[in-house]
Amino acid sequence: MDFLEPMIALDETHYQDGYKDGYDDGMVSGKEEGRQVGLKLGFQVGEELGFYQGCLDVWMSIIRLDQGAFSARVRKYMEQLAALLSNYPLSDPENNLQDMMKEIRLKFRVITGSLGAKLGSARKCAAPGIMEDTWSSVSNNHLKSLQLEKILESCYFLSL
Amino acid sequence: RIWKRAPDGAWHCSDVLEGVHESTVRSCAWSPDGKLLADASFDGTTAIWEYSGGDFELVDTLEGHVNEVKSVSWSQSGSMVATCSRDRAAWIWEILPGNDHECVDVLEGHTEDVKMVQWHPFFDVLVSVSYDNTIRVWADDGDGKWPCVQTLTEAGNSGHSSTVWSISFNQKGDRMVTCSDDCTLKIWDASIDLSQPTTGEGHESWRHISTLSGYHGRTIFSVHWSSEGVIASGAGDDAICLFAEENSMVEGPSYRLILKKEKAHDTDVNCVRWCPQNPRVLASVSDDGTVKLWELQGDILD
């Protein structure tokens, strides 16, 4: 039986060599792909959060000029949105990012839903495009991030 | 469409409210004072129309839901409107003077499409029913938020085993009836004011009283309780059923079928509603495109 061993061993070594080469190649391309996806997703998240922060900045300026511009309830919602935005971990990604994003989006919708009549005419002529585009981009982003999540998952597997 | 009855008794369409929604208008509701009409649309918005000077005018739009709004309900004071949607949430809006509004709270908890919302006639309590087979009760916690104070499930409360489509309270507000894709109607004891904090251990809750099954062969889409205590149901089997309550001292309330109107419509009956002015008159609508008015006389519905 001894003469058979090197043959079997050779088969095994070839396998191991191939596996290692594949693994190393995969590691490199996987990391690059992951980096691309991360950049894209990161930009989208940043863009969305930036939009909300921008709206908040405008609303805060309005409040400074006119205390009574918004009702107490709406001011409270804006404060809550500000807190949610500052809590979002931009540098250290945690696990429940999707939930935090959902909360932020909902709070934003509640605010704009409550501003309807007051900003009525202004909303309809000045920033309608922005508001409406945000709607579609917000819901689209959510869908896109779900797809990206799947790609990210597969990258994760490759890099293991 | 707004329908008016002429002095000679005939009904005609007096107004068509259009040009506002970009998709199906699924349901509508008059405010308690009758001056405003809210309509729920698949375009995600709810429009508020004001009836003044013989004309309907769009005065406000409630935007917030992400997709189709399925139902809208006015609170008994007329100061609040509740809407629910396929986005699994129910929104409570405060209607303010000057055709303004604010969002009071977003009620999340259902895991599927919310089919209908209905305010309790007296308590500050909102009920929602859903594709997730449950009935949820929400109440004001005094702090501006409306948490879910009770969930009626199949397992825990003898609840429905499939989509719950509709809900109606009786006039006294101590009973609630729900109907479902499981072809049953369920009656619940809703006498406890769930908006009041309960002290002590025992958590009071609304409980199941009775299940009416075997009367409809298909999904029951709509149910409505008249001020005289007659429950009307409309279903996918094209029929309308009427039930009356009987109270026996020993066994408690029970419900018997008064009559079943087979082939009330050519196809699915989508909604049934009793006339607020005449509790013997019932309106029904169907996928066959017709609105039918019925009168209950004795044991006949015609």
Side-chain angles (χ1 to χ4, degrees), chain B:
Chain B
R1 279 173 187 267
I2 310 287
W3 302 82
K4 285 198 178 128
R5 188 180 197 179
D8 66 358
W11 291 80
H12 67 279
C13 175
S14 68
D15 294 90
V16 180
L17 308 179
E18 57 193 340
V20 166
H21 288 297
E22 290 156 25
S23 188
T24 306
V25 177
R26 174 57 108 65
S27 104
C28 54
W30 293 100
S31 65
D33 64 7
K35 293 194 185 131
L36 300 171
L37 179 67
D39 68 24
S41 168
F42 277 14
D43 67 7
T45 70
T46 302
I48 313 271
W49 304 80
E50 185 171 10
Y51 184 57
S52 70
D55 258 326
F56 282 88
E57 191 196 330
L58 177 72
V59 293
D60 202 3
T61 307
L62 308 178
E63 290 178 35
H65 282 296
V66 178
N67 48 41
E68 297 92 47
V69 187
K70 298 295 175 91
S71 162
V72 59
S73 174
W74 290 85
S75 68
Q76 72 269 27
S77 63
S79 63
M80 288 193 288
V81 163
T83 56
C84 66
S85 156
R86 184 168 68 80
D87 66 8
R88 305 182 208 139
W91 284 51
I92 298 183
W93 311 82
E94 187 178 359
I95 304 299
L96 303 166
N99 295 327
D100 196 3
H101 64 268
E102 270 177 6
C103 172
V104 172
D105 200 4
V106 177
L107 313 180
E108 297 188 296
H110 280 297
T111 55
E112 299 283 358
D113 190 354
V114 188
K115 297 294 188 188
M116 182 168 172
V117 277
Q118 187 71 31
W119 290 95
H120 189 283
F122 311 114
F123 306 145
D124 261 344
V125 151
L126 181 72
V127 174
S128 61
V129 299
S130 162
Y131 185 83
D132 69 7
N133 310 353
T134 70
I135 300 155
R136 281 180 181 257
V137 187
W138 315 80
D140 193 352
D141 69 355
D143 211 20
K145 300 230 76 154
W146 290 66
C148 178
V149 292
Q150 189 167 19
T151 306
L152 301 172
T153 62
E154 178 181 10
N157 311 89
S158 311
H160 288 288
S161 56
S162 187
T163 306
V164 190
W165 278 94
S166 185
I167 174 252
S168 178
F169 285 98
N170 66 350
Q171 194 182 34
K172 268 174 67 184
D174 63 345
R175 299 262 184 278
M176 166 175 92
V177 59
T178 54
C179 65
S180 161
D181 177 60
D182 65 11
C183 306
T184 71
L185 293 146
K186 286 183 187 276
I187 320 284
W188 307 83
D189 178 334
S191 54
I192 295 163
D193 186 352
L194 292 177
S195 67
Q196 301 307 312
T198 49
T199 51
E201 300 276 326
H203 179 60
E204 300 250 48
S205 59
W206 289 2
R207 48 175 198 89
H208 170 264
I209 294 177
S210 175
T211 296
L212 305 172
S213 55
Y215 298 101
H216 282 292
R218 292 260 149 74
T219 307
I220 310 176
F221 289 113
S222 175
V223 66
H224 198 225
W225 213 319
S226 82
S227 54
E228 283 188 347
V230 180
I231 298 172
S233 63
D237 60 2
D238 317 345
I240 295 173
C241 285
L242 299 183
F243 302 86
E245 178 174 303
E246 275 161 358
N247 268 303
S248 82
M249 297 307 289
V250 177
E251 291 162 8
S254 69
Y255 299 84
R256 65 171 183 89
L257 179 77
I258 299 175
L259 66 92
K260 176 171 181 176
K261 190 82 180 176
E262 307 259 14
K263 273 296 166 202
H265 280 274
D266 292 338
T267 179
D268 293 14
V269 182
N270 291 322
C271 187
V272 289
R273 279 283 180 278
W274 293 101
C275 174
Q277 285 176 328
N278 183 344
R280 298 278 165 85
V281 171
L282 180 74
S284 66
V285 296
S286 160
D287 274 346
D288 65 10
T290 65
V291 177
K292 290 194 183 179
L293 294 173
W294 310 82
E295 184 157 7
L296 176 64
Q297 281 157 342
D299 279 354
I300 320 261
L301 187 69
D302 201 17

